[in-house]
Amino acid sequence: MIDAVLADERNNDLYDLYLRAQALNEYVAGDKAADMIQAATRVNNLSSKAETVLPVNESLFKVEAEKALYAVVRKLDTDMIPLTVRCDYAKALNILSELNAPVNKFFDDVMVMDKDEDVKNNRLSLLCLVKDLVNCVGDLSKLVM
């Protein structure tokens, strides 16, 4: 839990870190955590292969699963901002479950490391957006269930 909340080295607010750890602790006790942690680990592993993160270019999407994932990311990004500003980390973690199905569908249907460099980099950039979103409270890939 500690490693997960300390993963964002820019955060040095001890009370905020405590709130994040408390929310993560409650979250992992619930039934949604295992799937989200598995998805977050897959996303973190692949997004780490991005050499540079560019803005996502929707015109490069070739598979419906890319479009669907991007739509959910954009929606949740908007929903997440007020929650994290209010330190409502429990609610932020709960709405992340909306990512499970689109992330799994993306990995089932999309070959991220495409031969076309532009497509590959666009997919990696999309995964970086997902990574930022799923790690808004703490690095979920550091949690072990």
Side-chain angles (χ1 to χ4, degrees):
M1 213 60 64
I2 300 297
D3 289 340
V5 297
L6 291 178
D8 182 358
E9 296 172 355
R10 300 168 295 176
N11 189 348
N12 62 1
D13 182 335
L14 291 177
Y15 184 65
D16 183 66
L17 293 169
Y18 167 77
L19 292 174
R20 288 169 185 266
Q22 187 177 34
L24 279 171
N25 194 43
E26 291 171 9
Y27 181 69
V28 298
D31 59 346
K32 297 178 183 177
D35 291 337
M36 193 68 248
I37 290 169
Q38 181 181 16
T41 301
R42 291 177 77 185
V43 167
N44 280 357
N45 288 341
L46 260 174
S47 65
S48 68
K49 297 182 186 313
E51 295 173 14
T52 58
V53 180
L54 304 169
V56 173
N57 182 347
E58 292 180 71
S59 68
L60 291 173
F61 291 157
K62 294 183 174 187
V63 180
E64 186 60 37
E66 293 172 285
K67 296 175 190 174
L69 179 57
Y70 188 56
V72 172
V73 167
R74 287 192 354 227
K75 177 199 173 293
L76 289 181
D77 191 43
T78 302
D79 295 346
M80 213 51 92
I81 292 169
L83 296 174
T84 55
V85 167
R86 289 192 315 259
C87 300
D88 191 350
Y89 300 124
K91 189 165 186 178
L93 287 165
N94 280 327
I95 67 171
L96 282 179
S97 64
E98 292 179 41
L99 275 171
N100 283 340
V103 165
N104 289 333
K105 181 79 170 144
F106 178 85
F107 283 123
D108 289 344
D109 296 356
V110 175
M111 174 58 73
V112 176
M113 305 310 265
D114 196 87
K115 290 181 262 183
D116 181 329
E117 282 293 310
D118 291 335
V119 171
K120 176 184 88 171
N121 290 331
N122 197 57
R123 289 173 177 169
L124 289 170
S125 292
L126 175 57
L127 288 176
C128 287
L129 288 178
V130 174
K131 179 181 111 176
D132 290 344
L133 197 56
V134 299
N135 293 337
C136 70
V137 176
D139 185 344
L140 298 184
S141 69
K142 302 243 185 239
L143 301 176
V144 178
M145 294 290 293

